[in-house]
């Protein structure tokens, strides 16, 4: 009998831990919160009835043990230093310059980018896989022992999971950020207000307060979570990079900071910074900046620390401003690719010196996540250089007069039934003749970033679409035949019509990349357009390329190649292009070598090769030259099309990617040997 009980207890524990990992590590829960609670209740019940089977590291203990009498201060084995802050991109660039000076000029540097979570810094200590201590940062030298509360943090395992890849180290100190999610915070605040309590100002205050509660059951109720982002004092775990360390921590079962990646160049790092700043609205936790770290632990050790902070890390922060305001209306706009974007019209409110009266709600999923109704009071935030976004609804201020917003099933412009983007979050109007799309398509085509047509602004476009002058892109050039009719239109005098027509005429001679941009091909902006124009010279040559040939252009990967190829093999597009060509638009000049570049045959013929890390026999340029001489094709990024990767010392993310994709990896010696052995084979004779 008791044996079956023990078995059930063990099964329940394993099952609950599995669900914890699915929920907090993989963000892919398999069961509902209710089902999870039932499992936990059953376990607690058994552990109470059969105390002989209770175990301090059972997941049931995460609800909180006995209250403590007071806090004990404990020194950190390694100080928890602060990080240097910068607030401008120029200062961020100085960080890179400083780093470069600290290292040997021949070394390559990888930077890791992370969100800086606006929570409370925490150190978690595991001895032989068991969580034994949780410490606050305190003054950096010593912190408060909050172990009783650390145990209740969601997703923090009471004991680590060993795996073949990652055995349990004897001593592991993981550092990170404790936080409360935005949605949990909204509920917490609503409950406080309902109970007549003074509500917390923000999630960080609520987290800090919760960690300093004496009664862990109260702390558990706040639903604190944790992201690991660094390593403290460790024994028995040595890893060459920060990324490898985070991966090890994740394998052991501790949630790590999300959206963390390593980048091989400063340019790529900066690009990612911009991307992350644009994605802020998708996060369910507060962020007050980005953190950039050198990936290599060896390089870090050589850079060392100043008296205050490590030299290999910097925080790129921004001031955050938020305001409460009311949602007056929610409308939906249709963009140039037919995307329906919900937009909240707000009671105007001043945030950080500017008046905010509208804010994008991005897509239907975001709208659902916020649960916003018309008439709701909401918190709108403006963080640094970022456009305002809606943080949360102040549900406790609802009066019952708010009205639900129903996302339209039909395009608000043309009434066509809308569709959901394949695999995406966007809802689109599929009607290519939709006036909203036409308007947006024309506006973009005529804009400065594309064909730069003087005199053709949005107001005039709206007017011309409305009067049937513009029903397609090529109609722009038909306007030249309708001068007299145009002069009859509202607000259009003879002079402005002539200016417009001159502007349109001039646009026929724009460089090819502008036309390519103006065609609004998915994923094709200015950079890709210029790359295509430079590589192939003329539009006809571009259209004649296969998907594979397109993908071989440096700035273009398989995704963009697919998009370009598909675009140019669509019937309406071909018709449009034929018309535009007839109107005499600049089609570009076919390169003298419409004929393919001379093919060098050699031992590496037909092989696409990526080189990474530092080599002993070659410089970066000389190995590329060498590969070309041997008939191969050197490229910069690893994909499934890569035949092999030559990896030197300190190879980083490209090597990881190659291993992930199963691309063959050669050392420098193996590579040289391969070329030598192939060279001795006599070339085929005809
Ligand atoms: Zn439509």
């Amino acid at each position: 009998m008791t044996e079956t009980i023990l078995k059930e207890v063990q099964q329940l524990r394993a099952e609950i831990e599995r669900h914890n990992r699915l929920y907090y590590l993989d963000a892919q829960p398999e069961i509902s919160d209710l089902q999870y609670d039932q499992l936990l209740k059953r376990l607690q019940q058994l552990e109470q009835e059969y105390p002989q089977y209770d175990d301090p590291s059972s997941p049931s203990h995460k609800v909180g043990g006995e209250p403590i009498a007071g806090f004990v201060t404990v020194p950190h084995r390694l100080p928890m230093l602060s990080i240097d802050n910068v607030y401008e991109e120029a200062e961020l660039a100085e960080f890179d310059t400083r780093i470069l000076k600290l290292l040997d000029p021949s070394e390559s540097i990888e930077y890791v980018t992370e969100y800086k979570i606006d929570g409370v810094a925490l150190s978690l200590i595991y001895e032989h896989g068991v969580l034994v201590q949780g410490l606050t940062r305190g003054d950096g030298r010593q912190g408060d022992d909050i172990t009783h509360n650390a145990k209740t943090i969601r997703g923090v395992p009471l004991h680590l999971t060993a795996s073949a890849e990652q055995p349990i180290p004897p001593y592991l100190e993981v550092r990170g950020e404790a936080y409360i999610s935005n949605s949990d915070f909204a509920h917490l605040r609503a409950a406080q207000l309902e109970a007549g309590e003074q509500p917390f100002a923000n999630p960080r205050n609520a987290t800090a307060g919760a960690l300093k509660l004496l009664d862990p059951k109260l702390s558990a109720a706040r639903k604190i979570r944790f992201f690991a982002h660094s390593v403290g004092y460790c024994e028995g775990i040595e890893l060459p990079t920060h990324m490898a360390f985070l991966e090890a921590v994740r394998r052991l079962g501790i949630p790590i900071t999300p959206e963390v990646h390593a980048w091989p160049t400063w340019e790529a790092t900066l690009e990612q910074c911009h991307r992350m700043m644009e994605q802020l609205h998708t996060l369910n936790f507060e962020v007050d900046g980005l953190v950039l770290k050198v990936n290599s632990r060896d390089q870090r050790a050589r850079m060392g620390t100043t008296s205050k902070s490590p030299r290999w890390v910097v925080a790129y922060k921004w001031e955050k401003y938020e305001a409460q305001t009311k949602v007056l209306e929610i409308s939906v706009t249709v963009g140039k690719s037919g995307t329906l974007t919900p937009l909240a019209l707000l009671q105007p409110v001043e945030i950080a010196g500017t008046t905010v009266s509208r804010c994008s709600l991005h897509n239907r999923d975001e709208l659902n996540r916020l649960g916003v109704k018309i008439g709701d009071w909401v918190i709108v935030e403006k963080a640094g250089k970022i456009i305002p976004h809606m943080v949360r609804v102040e549900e406790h201020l609802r009066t019952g007069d708010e009205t639900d917003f129903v996302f339209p099933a039909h395009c608000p412009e043309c009434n066509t039934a809308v569709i959901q983007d394949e695999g995406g979050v966007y809802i689109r109007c599929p009607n290519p003749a939709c006036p909203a799309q036409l308007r947006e398509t024309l506006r973009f085509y005529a804009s400065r970033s594309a064909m730069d047509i003087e005199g053709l602004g949005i107001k005039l476009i709206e007017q011309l679409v409305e009067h049937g002058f513009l029903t397609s892109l090529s109609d722009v050039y038909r306007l030249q035949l309708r001068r007299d009719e145009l002069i009859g239109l509202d607000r259009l005098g003879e002079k402005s019509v002539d200016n417009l027509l001159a502007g349109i005429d001039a646009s026929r001679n724009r460089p090819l990349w502008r036309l390519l941009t103006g065609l609004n091909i998915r994923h094709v902006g200015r950079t890709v357009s210029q790359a295509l124009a430079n590589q192939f010279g003329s539009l006809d040559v571009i259209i004649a390329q296969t998907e594979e040939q397109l993908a071989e252009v440096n700035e273009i990967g398989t995704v963009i190649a697919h998009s370009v190829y598909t675009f140019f093999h669509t019937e309406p597009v071909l018709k449009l292009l034929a018309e535009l060509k007839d109107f005499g638009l600049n089609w570009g000049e076919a390169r003298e070598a419409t004929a393919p570049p001379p093919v060098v045959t050699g031992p590496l013929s037909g092989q696409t090769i990526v080189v990474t890390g530092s080599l002993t026999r070659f410089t970066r340029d000389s190995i590329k030259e060498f590969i070309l001489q041997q008939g191969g094709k050197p490229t910069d990024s690893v994909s499934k099309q890569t035949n092999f990767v030559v990896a030197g010392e300190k190879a980083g993310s490209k090597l990881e990617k190659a291993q992930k994709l199963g691309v063959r990896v050669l050392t420098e010696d193996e590579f040289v040997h391969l070329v030598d052995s192939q060279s001795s084979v006599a070339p085929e004779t005809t």
Side-chain angles (χ1 to χ4, degrees):
M1 173 62 196
T2 51
E3 230 168 73
T4 30
I5 298 291
L6 178 60
K7 212 167 171 196
E8 188 185 350
V9 165
Q10 285 166 340
Q11 276 170 350
L12 278 167
R13 284 176 187 159
E15 187 65 1
I16 289 167
E17 276 166 5
R18 190 174 77 83
H19 288 300
N20 280 343
R21 289 177 68 103
L22 282 170
Y23 190 93
Y24 293 104
L25 246 55
D26 307 332
Q28 280 174 337
E30 279 177 6
I31 57 173
S32 71
D33 290 359
L34 184 69
Q35 288 168 311
Y36 177 86
D37 288 343
Q38 284 167 343
L39 289 177
L40 197 61
K41 270 209 186 101
R42 174 71 184 147
L43 176 62
Q44 285 167 322
Q45 184 197 346
L46 289 175
E47 284 172 347
Q48 266 168 17
E49 274 177 46
Y50 303 89
Q52 66 269 37
Y53 298 140
D54 197 6
D55 179 333
S57 70
S58 164
S60 62
H61 287 249
K62 291 196 65 67
V63 295
E66 293 305 306
I68 60 164
F71 291 98
V72 182
T73 306
V74 178
H76 294 292
R77 289 182 81 157
L78 290 174
M80 287 178 89
L81 298 174
S82 57
I83 302 181
D84 267 346
N85 291 331
V86 301
Y87 287 86
E88 299 296 332
E89 204 168 299
E91 296 173 272
L92 198 59
E94 286 166 22
F95 166 72
D96 177 51
T97 314
R98 277 200 305 278
I99 296 271
L100 290 172
K101 281 190 191 143
L102 288 167
L103 295 174
D104 192 89
S106 67
E107 288 184 60
S108 55
I109 300 167
E110 277 192 347
Y111 290 107
V112 176
T113 48
E114 296 170 6
Y115 280 116
K116 188 172 186 309
I117 289 125
D118 192 12
V120 177
L122 204 60
S123 149
L124 299 177
I125 294 161
Y126 287 87
E127 283 184 27
H128 300 286
V130 178
L131 176 63
V132 293
Q133 201 165 49
L135 298 177
T136 62
R137 180 172 177 278
D139 63 4
R141 307 269 151 199
Q142 51 185 21
D144 284 329
D145 186 333
I146 49 109
T147 311
H148 64 301
N149 290 334
K151 285 181 175 171
T152 71
I153 296 177
R154 307 291 166 110
V156 165
L158 298 176
H159 61 90
L160 301 176
T161 313
S163 61
E165 295 91 349
Q166 187 52 59
I168 287 174
Y171 193 100
L172 174 74
E173 183 195 352
V174 171
R175 291 171 177 181
E177 209 74 6
Y179 70 100
I180 296 176
S181 75
N182 285 343
S183 42
D184 285 338
F185 179 69
H187 291 139
L188 175 64
R189 216 174 120 89
Q192 284 180 310
L193 286 156
E194 199 160 302
E197 295 168 18
Q198 175 72 24
F200 291 111
N202 55 50
R204 180 170 29 80
N205 286 355
T207 309
L211 289 174
K212 296 302 288 286
L213 289 167
L214 295 172
D215 184 348
K217 288 195 175 64
L218 295 177
S219 186
R222 298 260 180 100
K223 301 188 176 173
I224 304 174
R225 301 175 188 223
F226 179 81
F227 284 136
H229 60 52
S230 330
V231 44
Y233 178 82
C234 293
E235 286 169 14
I237 180 165
E238 270 295 335
L239 291 162
T241 64
H242 180 61
M243 291 300 286
F245 174 79
L246 287 180
E247 180 53 28
V249 165
R250 205 190 65 81
R251 285 218 166 98
L252 289 166
I254 304 170
I256 60 167
T257 190
E259 280 303 316
V260 56
H261 301 286
W263 306 95
T265 64
W266 181 248
E267 290 70 32
T269 307
L270 266 190
E271 265 178 39
Q272 171 68 359
C273 289
H274 297 150
R275 266 195 300 271
M276 291 172 86
M277 286 161 84
E278 281 165 20
Q279 294 304 314
L280 287 176
H281 68 271
T282 62
L283 307 175
N284 193 17
F285 46 84
E286 296 282 295
V287 164
D288 63 346
L290 306 176
V291 181
L292 274 60
K293 299 171 175 172
V294 170
N295 194 19
S296 154
R297 302 191 35 96
D298 164 60
Q299 286 178 338
R300 285 184 182 189
R302 283 184 280 133
M303 287 177 215
T305 61
T306 68
S307 60
K308 282 187 305 197
S309 45
R311 291 197 177 89
W312 42 262
V313 57
V314 71
Y316 180 25
K317 292 186 72 170
W318 48 76
E319 298 292 346
K320 270 211 310 203
Y321 306 94
E322 54 176 43
Q324 191 185 53
T325 186
K326 198 170 181 176
V327 177
L328 302 177
E329 187 58 74
I330 297 176
S331 65
V332 169
T333 61
V334 186
K336 62 181 187 290
S337 50
T339 314
L340 271 63
T341 305
L343 184 77
L345 301 178
L346 308 168
Q347 190 165 297
V349 62
E350 190 164 305
I351 312 179
T354 54
T355 304
V356 175
S357 56
R358 51 179 56 201
C359 118
S360 172
L361 299 171
H362 304 284
N363 53 57
R364 191 174 60 182
D365 285 3
E366 172 74 355
L367 200 70
N368 292 342
R369 185 183 75 74
L370 286 161
V372 58
K373 300 180 178 197
I374 299 158
D376 263 337
W377 286 94
V378 294
I379 298 295
V380 176
E381 176 186 285
K382 215 174 132 198
K385 304 110 204 164
I386 299 148
I387 47 168
H389 76 275
M390 196 177 285
V391 182
R392 62 173 182 270
V393 173
E394 297 280 74
E395 281 179 42
H396 61 279
L397 295 180
R398 280 190 177 153
T399 59
D401 293 338
E402 299 77 17
T403 44
D404 285 332
F405 173 74
V406 183
F407 204 90
H410 294 88
C411 173
E413 296 269 352
C414 70
N415 214 29
T416 307
V418 296
I419 55 166
Q420 177 140 17
D421 236 10
E422 218 176 293
V425 295
Y426 292 101
I427 309 293
R428 293 195 313 114
C429 165
N431 174 13
C434 175
Q437 287 188 54
L438 179 63
R439 236 171 27 226
E440 286 305 306
T441 304
L442 289 164
R443 189 188 57 76
F444 182 71
Y445 182 82
S447 73
R448 287 233 177 104
S449 18
M451 289 297 261
D452 195 12
I453 303 181
E454 220 182 303
L456 191 54
I458 185 66
K459 282 266 157 19
L460 185 55
I461 289 172
E462 277 173 8
Q463 198 180 354
L464 294 175
V465 169
E466 196 182 324
H467 288 85
F469 282 90
L470 296 177
T471 59
S472 74
L473 238 169
S474 51
D475 274 352
V476 169
Y477 299 95
R478 292 193 183 92
L479 292 177
Q480 291 179 309
L481 309 170
R482 305 177 71 177
R483 179 173 176 275
D484 294 345
E485 290 171 77
L486 287 170
I487 291 170
L489 285 175
D490 250 13
R491 282 171 302 170
L492 274 184
E494 203 163 323
K495 194 156 174 236
S496 45
V497 168
D498 284 337
N499 282 344
L500 169 69
L501 296 184
I504 292 173
D505 196 42
S507 78
R508 295 188 301 141
N509 297 318
R510 295 275 184 262
L512 176 60
W513 69 263
R514 285 190 170 271
L515 175 59
L516 280 168
T517 308
L519 290 174
N520 189 33
I521 307 165
R522 201 155 175 224
H523 304 305
V524 178
R526 179 186 178 135
T527 315
V528 173
S529 293
Q530 286 176 337
L532 284 169
N534 286 340
Q535 179 79 20
F536 299 111
S538 104
L539 191 51
D540 288 329
V541 177
I542 296 173
I543 297 172
Q545 301 302 307
T546 64
E547 215 170 306
E548 291 71 28
Q549 287 167 324
L550 289 167
E552 280 173 22
V553 181
N554 243 342
E555 283 82 353
I556 299 174
T558 50
V559 176
I560 298 178
H562 179 71
S563 167
V564 172
Y565 182 86
T566 314
F567 181 83
F568 285 125
H569 289 80
T570 314
E571 205 45 57
V573 171
L574 293 175
K575 179 169 168 280
L576 168 70
L577 290 176
E579 289 170 351
L580 291 180
K581 199 175 186 183
D582 278 349
F583 284 117
L585 267 74
N586 174 19
W587 230 236
E589 304 261 330
R591 294 259 175 279
E592 49 184 59
T594 321
V599 177
V600 181
T601 46
L604 299 178
S605 286
Q607 307 275 304
T608 301
I609 300 154
V610 173
V611 181
T612 178
S614 50
L615 306 174
T616 55
R617 293 185 184 80
F618 301 94
T619 64
R620 269 307 165 83
D621 287 337
S622 72
I623 192 163
K624 282 187 181 166
E625 191 60 29
F626 180 73
I627 291 169
L628 285 168
Q629 282 165 2
Q630 306 298 321
K633 179 169 183 288
T635 60
D636 284 330
S637 59
V638 180
S639 72
K640 282 187 185 151
Q641 272 70 43
T642 309
N643 292 88
F644 59 87
V645 170
V646 182
E649 285 291 304
K650 304 197 181 83
S653 61
K654 287 181 192 173
L655 176 58
E656 283 172 29
K657 182 148 186 214
Q659 286 162 342
K660 215 186 209 169
L661 292 175
V663 174
R664 187 174 165 207
V665 177
L666 299 180
T667 64
E668 188 179 353
D669 284 341
E670 287 167 339
F671 169 68
V672 173
H673 181 73
L674 173 85
V675 176
D676 283 350
S677 64
Q678 303 269 320
S679 304
S680 59
V681 178
E684 280 179 350
T685 48
T686 46

